[in-house]
Amino acid sequence: MDYQKLADLLFPDVTETREDIERRFPPRSLPAGANVTRIGPSPTGFVHLGNLYNAIIAERVAHQSGGVFYLRIEDTDNKREVEGAVETVINAMAYFDVHFDEGATSTGDNGAYGPYRQRQRKEIYHVFAKWLVQNGKAYPCFLTEEELTAIREEQLANKEIVTGFFGKYAEVSRNLTLEDISARIAAGQPWVLRFRAEMNDKRFTITDAIRGKLDMPCNIMDFVLLKSDGIPTYHFAHVVDDHLMRSTHVVRGEEWLSTLSMHVELFDVFGWDKPIYCHTSTLQKIDGGSKRKLSKRKDPELALAFYQQEGICKEAIWEFLLTVLNSNFEEWRAANPDASYMEFPFSLEKMSTSGALFDMEKLNNIAKDVIGRMDAETVLSHLKNWCSEYNREFLALIEQYPDRTLKALGVGKQGAKPRKDFVNWKQTCEFLSFYFDETFKAQDDMPAEISEEDRKAFFAKYLASYAHEDDAEAWFAKVRQISDELGYAVKPKDYKKNPENYKGSIVHVTNMLRTALTGMANAPDIWEISHVLGEELTRARLGKWA
Ligand code: GLU
């Protein structure tokens, strides 16, 4: 077979050589040790937590080393592509504070190694495809879907251990003559370009930065490089792009381990250095006592959109994922409570290979801590951002009462054990709703221990003696005094000891007061809340019960 003739027949329009392309993508001039990483999401419209998980790893590996982190859109599978999906990926990454140095953006491409959308790189892949054909490493295959299915069925019927397009199954296609191929092409028969595998029973070793040394059988499959529409498969596009874009590390899911041998063989055939592979574990959760993969159907928390809609704070997601990624993160956080998570020395070597466990409760606890550490101004700015997208009504309230909102966000922040009332922005809106008459809801009943008569008497006395400028101590002294006058134990332990001597305890009284003021028995400090609401609102709310 004259491979040059075959190459010209298959790719008559390709005039550039691989050297020409290499010149367009020169090695990057970066300091020694600077890593180049990327994420390569497919625009399916569904961005999942795994995308963010891998993005965080890749981002850290690049930016901690002073390198480059870029976004490549892997849109080679047009069956899966959904309108607007590229924007969805870009927006989701921006929402979670994942910043790229180059790559696809909502306004086009940014960077010298583009295009960063694979469908726009078709001509580039064809240059390398032609080179493979010229060198006897690739050939056209005209088998129809039906013929391929028949091969698969034969293999299954024969109970073959390895199934796929290899060995004797590839022979007919491999051995077509140039004349035969020309005739089929002239007749308009569709073809795919297949890789001509080495086909031996050797093994190879490779060191994965997360999994350590891997020892695997070499590839034997004549896998597809270009589909019948000329668009590359993931396998081919990955190798060409990560070479040309000069990725030093490829962070991707463990589902790619099974085809790693194909990628390795392709890199070797081209004579290119391989990137350092980092195969991450699939996210799992505990369900009914056992571990299982997160599923798109069963687990809403797999979709990144879920975190956006719930308003789960991005810092919390980062901290949570860093905890899952590096077991020493929590220790580091305890030792560095005020540091930004970006200062944590992330390391690929410390990643566990026994699976990544997702735990919503843990994420929520981290979120409470993270928000608890923020000052009120920071919380307000996050809240406004989220509300501007997901709760415009509440945004209008916040903007109508900016001082009150800021004060409300500062409640319970002083003291040795600051309150951790806020889990996510959606819940924060609900939590804050009692500060505004517009959203106030009487959620809890008044304590049953206090009669209507006592309740009225209490609020009448309370309002008569209320002085807004009282400090917390003076205020509480008055509450105690009124409780005492009405026959309620001032010390809860006295009531516990001799309940028959009292109508109730001060705890019932303060619960009543809190419920009147906030609509809830469980709320922050009454004195502090009154000072957020202001005298007028405080008196109006309590006056209803007097
Ligand atoms: N498009 C691939 C995926 O979505 C990317 C894998 C990679 O990062 O190489 O799984």
Side-chain angles (χ1 to χ4, degrees):
M1 166 77 80
D2 183 334
Y3 291 131
Q4 184 59 51
K5 277 207 176 121
L6 177 61
D8 289 336
L9 176 67
L10 297 178
F11 299 99
D13 301 330
V14 173
T15 52
E16 282 184 297
T17 64
R18 53 183 280 197
E19 289 74 25
D20 295 332
I21 305 287
E22 294 279 350
R23 272 193 289 278
R24 272 162 53 195
F25 296 89
R28 294 169 183 269
S29 50
L30 288 170
N35 300 324
V36 179
T37 67
R38 86 296 187 274
I39 57 164
S42 300
T44 60
F46 183 81
V47 194
H48 54 83
L49 191 60
N51 291 119
L52 182 61
Y53 182 75
N54 286 343
I56 285 180
I57 302 170
E59 191 277 344
R60 290 290 74 204
V61 168
H63 288 159
Q64 273 185 182
S65 69
V68 175
F69 174 51
Y70 68 92
L71 172 65
R72 183 169 71 223
I73 299 295
E74 304 210 329
D75 54 0
T76 56
D77 190 352
N78 60 352
K79 283 198 284 297
R80 295 170 67 205
E81 187 153 350
V82 170
E83 183 77 15
V86 173
E87 276 63 41
T88 307
V89 171
I90 291 172
N91 294 341
M93 290 301 150
Y95 178 90
F96 291 104
D97 257 348
V98 175
H99 300 299
F100 301 99
D101 305 297
E102 62 183 62
T105 76
S106 49
T107 51
D109 279 353
N110 163 39
Y113 287 78
Y116 295 91
R117 295 162 212 243
Q118 288 181 327
R119 294 183 89 80
Q120 295 175 13
R121 300 172 64 81
K122 195 168 160 182
E123 286 72 32
I124 296 173
Y125 305 119
H126 285 200
V127 172
F128 292 97
K130 187 168 188 179
W131 183 88
L132 287 172
V133 177
Q134 283 164 338
N135 288 276
K137 288 290 177 192
Y139 63 91
C141 171
F142 296 86
L143 293 189
T144 60
E145 234 9 90
E146 292 73 40
E147 287 168 308
L148 289 168
T149 308
I151 291 180
R152 213 170 305 124
E153 279 165 4
E154 183 188 333
Q155 292 173 338
L156 290 176
N158 293 345
K159 298 204 165 49
E160 294 194 25
I161 305 166
V162 184
T163 58
F165 201 83
F166 70 102
K168 65 177 185 187
Y169 302 100
E171 264 165 30
V172 175
S173 293
R174 276 184 170 213
N175 296 331
L176 289 178
T177 63
L178 195 56
E179 292 66 38
D180 202 355
I181 294 171
S182 317
R184 285 167 185 261
I185 287 180
Q189 267 191 36
W191 53 276
V192 299
L193 189 73
R194 285 189 182 273
F195 181 65
R196 193 188 293 273
E198 188 58 48
M199 278 216 287
N200 57 38
D201 55 4
K202 288 193 199 138
R203 300 180 70 84
F204 72 100
T205 58
I206 190 164
T207 302
D208 182 290
I210 298 171
R211 288 159 196 269
K213 193 167 163 190
L214 303 173
D215 181 327
M216 300 180 151
C218 288
N219 170 56
I220 54 164
M221 297 292 163
D222 281 8
F223 58 90
V224 175
L225 298 163
L226 296 177
K227 295 178 272 188
S228 56
D229 56 1
I231 299 292
T233 53
Y234 167 78
H235 311 301
F236 189 38
H238 148 54
V239 172
V240 170
D241 288 348
D242 282 310
H243 166 69
L244 292 178
M245 297 179 176
R246 311 290 165 177
S247 307
T248 60
H249 292 66
V250 166
V251 179
R252 64 182 184 186
E254 64 183 329
E255 66 274 17
W256 296 110
L257 277 170
S258 60
T259 45
L260 176 59
S261 61
M262 298 177 184
H263 313 145
V264 165
E265 191 175 2
L266 260 182
F267 271 107
D268 289 345
V269 162
F270 282 119
W272 294 333
D273 288 341
K274 288 178 269 297
I276 297 170
Y277 283 99
C278 315
H279 288 96
T280 61
S281 303
T282 308
L283 287 168
Q284 296 183 303
K285 76 186 267 185
I286 304 269
D287 185 11
S290 56
K291 275 194 205 173
R292 66 162 173 80
K293 269 193 201 173
L294 281 174
S295 116
K296 201 167 157 180
R297 201 165 44 81
K298 293 191 213 151
D299 307 309
E301 71 268 31
L302 185 60
L304 275 195
F306 169 85
Y307 301 87
Q308 290 170 264
Q309 283 150 12
E310 294 294 301
I312 298 190
C313 154
K314 50 197 161 197
E315 286 85 345
I317 297 259
W318 269 82
E319 296 226 349
F320 169 70
L321 290 177
L322 287 170
T323 309
V324 176
L325 288 167
N326 271 186
S327 54
N328 56 325
F329 179 79
E330 282 176 285
E331 208 178 298
W332 175 86
R333 174 44 84 207
N336 303 277
D338 300 322
S340 155
Y341 56 82
M342 288 293 192
E343 290 168 41
F344 170 69
F346 170 78
S347 117
L348 285 169
E349 294 71 31
K350 289 210 173 75
M351 281 179 64
S352 127
T353 49
S354 62
L357 203 57
F358 177 82
D359 176 354
M360 197 69 201
E361 208 177 299
K362 174 131 196 174
L363 168 58
N364 284 340
N365 284 334
I366 290 179
K368 283 186 193 172
D369 285 341
V370 166
I371 304 176
R373 280 198 298 270
M374 291 176 185
D375 60 27
E377 281 83 2
T378 311
V379 177
L380 181 60
S381 104
H382 281 292
L383 188 64
K384 276 186 165 174
N385 271 341
W386 182 80
C387 285
S388 65
E389 181 107 9
Y390 296 98
N391 194 344
R392 294 201 153 262
E393 261 173 62
F394 204 73
L395 179 67
L397 267 184
I398 300 180
E399 284 176 343
Q400 193 180 340
Y401 305 107
D403 296 342
R404 201 194 299 170
T405 311
L406 194 61
K407 275 196 202 158
L409 291 171
V411 165
K413 282 212 166 286
Q414 266 68 50
K417 267 190 128 193
R419 291 182 65 92
K420 294 176 188 168
D421 290 318
F422 310 126
V423 185
N424 59 54
W425 308 131
K426 190 179 188 177
Q427 172 268 349
T428 302
C429 294
E430 282 158 23
F431 189 93
L432 294 181
S433 62
F434 71 84
Y435 285 107
F436 310 101
D437 281 350
E438 291 84 341
T439 44
F440 178 92
K441 277 192 292 285
Q443 296 184 38
D444 292 326
D445 293 332
M446 285 293 192
E449 291 79 0
I450 303 181
S451 68
E452 195 181 329
E453 195 192 337
D454 279 356
R455 189 192 76 213
K456 288 193 166 171
F458 173 82
F459 282 112
K461 279 172 183 275
Y462 184 86
L463 288 172
S465 70
Y466 187 77
H468 195 64
E469 59 287 350
D470 279 348
D471 64 12
E473 217 173 299
W475 165 80
F476 196 52
K478 286 181 181 171
V479 177
R480 288 169 69 136
Q481 192 185 335
I482 307 171
S483 302
D484 190 35
E485 283 167 18
L486 292 175
Y488 290 80
V490 166
K491 288 185 182 150
K493 70 169 190 280
D494 292 345
Y495 176 67
K496 249 195 195 144
K497 238 193 269 164
N498 301 305
E500 63 288 355
N501 294 350
Y502 305 95
K503 289 185 188 162
S505 99
I506 190 147
V507 174
H508 301 123
V509 175
T510 49
N511 277 350
M512 175 175 74
L513 190 47
R514 194 177 283 112
T515 308
L517 205 57
T518 67
M520 303 179 290
N522 227 328
D525 182 81
I526 299 166
W527 182 86
E528 276 198 76
I529 292 174
S530 302
H531 284 262
V532 173
L533 292 173
E535 178 162 9
E536 201 183 322
L537 217 54
T538 301
R539 284 188 178 275
R541 286 201 184 167
L542 303 184
K544 289 192 188 129
W545 298 96

